[in-house]
Amino acid sequence: MLDLEPETGKLLSHVFAFEDPVQTAEERVSALDSEGATANQRARALCDLGRAWEISLGAIEEAARAYGDATVADPYLEEAPRQASRLCLAVGDADSSLAYARVAAVTAPAGKQRALALRRVAAVASLSADTEACLETLCEAAAEDESDVIPHEQIAQMLGTMVGLKRLIR
């Protein structure tokens, strides 16, 4: 049913009004820049912009750029480098993905959180076919959280695969 003005029968203008999440987020970033906001506030606004680009428009490259800018603004905002890494990988930029994953690992709190971040670095390295970096990072993850068996299992699996491949080429 149409929303009509009772006296004139004209369509009410608010029926067609909508908010563009990307424009709103961009305006917020601009406002924070002009207000001299903290790095963390700016980074959070840039993460909102990244979310808006990805969810509202499916614009993965723009979203990756916004999350990358958020990482530069505040590398300790956990969401920023993690999402930048994920989205860079989605658009085929493995080098940037690995760099952002490493930032996430370096800035993560010690222990379980850092071990998980290191496992993400290893996963990106593995997808980039950098076996040496993958194994080294998995060893770091295993040392960071000795109670986590996953890095140990992944190391064993990789070494087993490597040994199997060496047997095939002899």
Side-chain angles (χ1 to χ4, degrees):
M1 180 162 201
L2 294 176
D3 199 3
L4 302 175
E5 191 174 296
E7 295 166 8
T8 64
K10 293 183 180 178
L11 285 174
L12 293 175
S13 62
H14 74 271
V15 172
F16 297 104
F18 70 96
E19 189 174 299
D20 177 0
V22 171
Q23 182 180 358
T24 302
E26 286 177 333
E27 289 169 357
R28 179 154 160 40
V29 170
S30 292
L32 287 171
D33 286 345
S34 64
E35 294 169 6
T38 66
N40 182 266
Q41 289 172 320
R42 186 170 193 283
R44 288 180 186 280
L46 285 163
C47 284
D48 291 342
L49 177 59
R51 241 184 323 282
W53 275 116
E54 182 180 13
I55 293 168
S56 299
L57 300 177
I60 304 304
E61 288 181 21
E62 289 82 355
R65 192 173 307 112
Y67 282 113
D69 291 346
T71 301
V72 170
D74 185 359
Y76 289 90
L77 182 60
E78 180 186 352
E79 175 186 14
R82 190 182 69 237
Q83 294 299 335
S85 176
R86 177 181 67 84
L87 293 168
C88 284
L89 193 59
V91 297
D93 186 353
D95 291 339
S96 294
S97 178
L98 188 57
Y100 286 122
R102 286 185 171 140
V103 169
V106 167
T107 59
K112 292 182 184 302
Q113 287 180 297
R114 183 165 298 148
L116 179 59
L118 286 165
R119 287 187 9 228
R120 287 190 193 112
V121 172
V124 174
S126 176
L127 291 171
S128 301
D130 190 344
T131 305
E132 185 177 331
C134 180
L135 283 171
E136 287 174 7
T137 307
L138 285 172
C139 288
E140 287 179 54
E144 188 66 39
D145 180 10
E146 294 176 0
S147 68
D148 187 1
V149 298
I150 293 173
H152 299 282
E153 291 172 348
Q154 291 173 327
I155 291 167
Q157 182 180 15
M158 286 185 72
L159 292 175
T161 300
M162 290 168 68
V163 167
L165 289 174
K166 284 182 181 178
R167 286 183 185 155
L168 286 173
I169 59 174
R170 278 195 228 179

